[in-house]
């Protein structure tokens, strides 16, 4: 399909998701007001898909930005596609709606467009979002993910959210939900790390075969947050092949990296709090990569994850031990 700035992808439940989203995650040390200012700039530039999460701790600010842009007439509520996420301490069925309602209250919104399970593994339910034992290891819990999913279905039926999906799931975890008895709504999407060094071709193929949209985060590499990211990992935007193609097309490496994913049918979340870059990252609709460029970029895949799985790897449900 021809891509343009208003391009959307139709989800399996009939709702439409803009193919380019603005990601609002910032490392812990970043001031939260950057998320508010960045979201305002993004909406002014033309982004209509805003991605945030309970655990980011910035839903109040992001909600304020959306509210301000509705109030000044830039957008109507129905123009904005907002994604929120169920954090890992809220998997028990009775806590799912609690998490959603807390986010809605912080955002000052009546409903979310999309609410997704942030991770397949669960932490101990409670007020501490990252519960650790005396040895500094995460304290896990073991709710059946299918029971969590049923609670999400109820939130959709209650009108608190339009669409429901998952994040960081592998194909086996997706199948667990897809094959569950009494499934009412299947996940519309799976949001995962995806970029030229981790192009997720197998998972993308699987998701397409099940009419599940793959949404990519860390598409430009990563914010290099010391808590999650191996500081010795290569800087994606400095990749020589990517830079040669960018130079040839008179584009930035970021624009080419994003366009590559868009042409493969991936919904792209772009993240920046620099106004000029927010604008630049939106300018991916007026050029196209040819088959040769796409093949060259395909060849860069090296199964490299920026999100350091060793932080969670003692958990049996952590999905990143396998490629897909």
């Amino acid at each position: 399909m021809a891509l343009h700035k208003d391009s959307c992808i139709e989800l399996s439940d009939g709702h439409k998701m803009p193919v380019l989203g603005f990601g609002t995650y910032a490392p812990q040390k970043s001031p939260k007001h950057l998320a508010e200012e960045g979201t305002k700039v993004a909406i002014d530039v033309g982004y209509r898909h805003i991605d945030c999460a309970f655990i980011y701790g910035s839903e109040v600010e992001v909600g304020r930005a959306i509210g301000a842009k509705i109030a000044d007439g830039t957008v109507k509520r129905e123009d904005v596609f907002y994604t929120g996420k169920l954090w890992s301490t809220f998997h028990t069925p009775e806590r799912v709606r609690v998490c959603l309602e807390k986010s809605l209250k912080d955002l000052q919104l009546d409903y979310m467009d999309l609410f997704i399970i942030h991770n397949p593994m669960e932490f101990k339910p409670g007020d501490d979002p990252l519960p650790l034992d005396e040895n500094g290891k995460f304290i896990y819990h073991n709710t059946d993910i299918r029971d969590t999913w049923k609670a999400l279905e109820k939130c959709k039926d209650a009108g608190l959210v339009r669409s429901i999906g998952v994040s960081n799931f592998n194909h086996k975890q997706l199948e667990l939900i897809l094959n569950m008895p009494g499934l009412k709504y299947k996940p519309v999407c799976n949001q995962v790390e995806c970029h030229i060094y981790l192009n997720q071709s197998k998972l993308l193929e699987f998701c397409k075969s099940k009419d599940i949209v793959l949404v990519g985060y860390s598409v430009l590499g990563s914010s290099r947050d010391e808590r999650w990211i191996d500081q010795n990992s290569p800087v994606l935007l400095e990749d020589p092949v990517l830079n040669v193609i960018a130079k040839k097309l008179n584009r930035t490496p970021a624009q080419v990296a994003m366009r590559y994913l868009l042409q493969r049918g991936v919904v792209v979340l772009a993240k920046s709090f620099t106004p000029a870059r927010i604008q630049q990252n939106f300018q991916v609709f007026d050029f196209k990569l040819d088959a040769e460029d796409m093949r060259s970029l395909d060849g860069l895949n090296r199964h490299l994850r920026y999100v350091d799985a060793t932080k969670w790897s003692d958990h049996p449900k952590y999905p990143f031990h396998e490629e897909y």
Side-chain angles (χ1 to χ4, degrees):
M1 79 171 179
L3 291 163
H4 52 83
K5 70 179 180 60
D6 301 318
S7 285
C8 288
I9 196 159
E10 187 161 332
L11 303 172
S12 60
D13 62 5
H15 292 297
K16 289 185 168 66
M17 174 195 276
V19 296
L20 183 55
F22 181 68
T24 60
Y25 170 76
Q28 215 172 10
K29 55 182 186 288
S30 302
K32 296 292 176 224
H33 69 84
L34 290 179
E36 185 170 347
E37 288 154 22
T39 302
K40 282 184 188 168
V41 171
I43 292 172
D44 283 337
V45 161
Y47 289 85
R48 295 294 175 260
H49 175 175
I50 309 294
D51 180 271
C52 195
F54 172 86
I55 196 64
Y56 298 174
S58 57
E59 286 192 307
V60 167
E61 289 78 7
V62 170
R64 264 207 305 263
I66 294 169
K69 290 287 120 193
I70 291 171
D72 73 9
T74 307
V75 286
K76 300 186 182 76
R77 169 63 187 96
E78 57 270 24
D79 300 332
V80 177
F81 186 99
Y82 180 85
T83 299
K85 305 184 187 83
L86 178 78
W87 183 239
S88 304
T89 50
F90 291 93
H91 282 204
T92 53
E94 69 280 2
R95 284 176 65 79
V96 169
R97 184 162 172 163
V98 173
C99 183
L100 175 56
E101 287 183 331
K102 161 106 178 66
S103 286
L104 286 171
K105 185 166 179 259
D106 285 347
L107 291 156
Q108 297 287 296
L109 295 177
D110 297 330
Y111 68 92
M112 275 184 202
D113 297 273
L114 175 65
F115 190 49
I116 61 181
I117 299 175
H118 203 143
N119 281 302
M121 75 275 175
E122 179 190 14
F123 295 146
K124 177 188 159 195
D127 294 332
D128 183 354
L130 297 166
L132 302 173
D133 65 15
E134 60 279 8
N135 303 312
K137 294 273 190 196
F138 284 116
I139 307 169
Y140 297 107
H141 198 248
N142 214 12
T143 302
D144 188 319
I145 201 75
R146 293 168 292 192
D147 292 334
T148 307
W149 186 254
K150 281 179 195 151
L152 258 82
E153 291 183 327
K154 286 185 177 140
C155 292
K156 178 173 159 75
D157 283 336
L160 296 172
V161 58
R162 299 271 168 95
S163 301
I164 50 177
V166 298
S167 176
N168 298 312
F169 275 50
N170 62 25
H171 81 285
K172 288 179 185 160
Q173 291 158 338
L174 279 167
E175 278 179 329
L176 203 59
I177 291 179
L178 291 171
N179 299 331
M180 74 186 236
L183 178 71
K184 193 167 182 185
Y185 308 114
K186 69 180 189 182
V188 297
C189 71
N190 184 19
Q191 186 182 123
V192 295
E193 181 177 344
C194 188
H195 43 74
I196 55 171
Y197 291 160
L198 180 72
N199 71 23
Q200 297 282 17
S201 53
K202 270 186 162 168
L203 187 60
L204 178 60
E205 202 179 319
F206 174 81
C207 286
K208 281 181 174 173
S209 76
K210 303 291 182 189
D211 200 12
I212 293 169
V213 172
L214 194 88
V215 180
Y217 67 77
S218 292
V219 298
L220 305 178
S222 116
S223 56
R224 304 188 85 76
D225 185 334
E226 296 85 5
R227 290 183 307 161
W228 317 111
I229 309 302
D230 175 0
Q231 297 301 298
N232 299 316
S233 54
V235 178
L236 185 143
L237 293 176
E238 291 172 4
D239 184 88
V241 175
L242 181 66
N243 278 270
V244 166
I245 294 171
K247 204 168 178 185
K248 178 185 82 172
L249 295 169
N250 201 18
R251 294 284 160 175
T252 67
Q255 288 167 340
V256 173
M258 289 164 63
R259 180 74 201 194
Y260 166 69
L261 296 178
L262 288 168
Q263 284 183 212
R264 294 170 67 232
V266 174
V267 168
V268 167
L269 299 177
K271 200 170 62 193
S272 174
F273 291 137
T274 313
R277 256 195 229 123
I278 294 172
Q279 172 101 39
Q280 251 177 13
N281 290 348
F282 196 72
Q283 291 162 348
V284 289
F285 298 111
D286 55 350
F287 74 101
K288 199 172 176 211
L289 299 171
D290 63 24
E292 192 186 338
D293 292 336
M294 291 296 285
R295 269 196 303 276
S296 301
L297 294 169
D298 279 340
L300 298 176
N301 187 47
R302 49 170 100 173
H303 310 297
L304 174 111
R305 292 184 184 278
Y306 283 100
V307 180
D308 181 4
T310 57
K311 304 275 186 201
W312 323 89
S313 60
D314 55 338
H315 192 282
K317 280 193 191 161
Y318 196 65
F320 302 157
H321 298 303
E322 304 158 39
E323 180 51 25
Y324 104 109

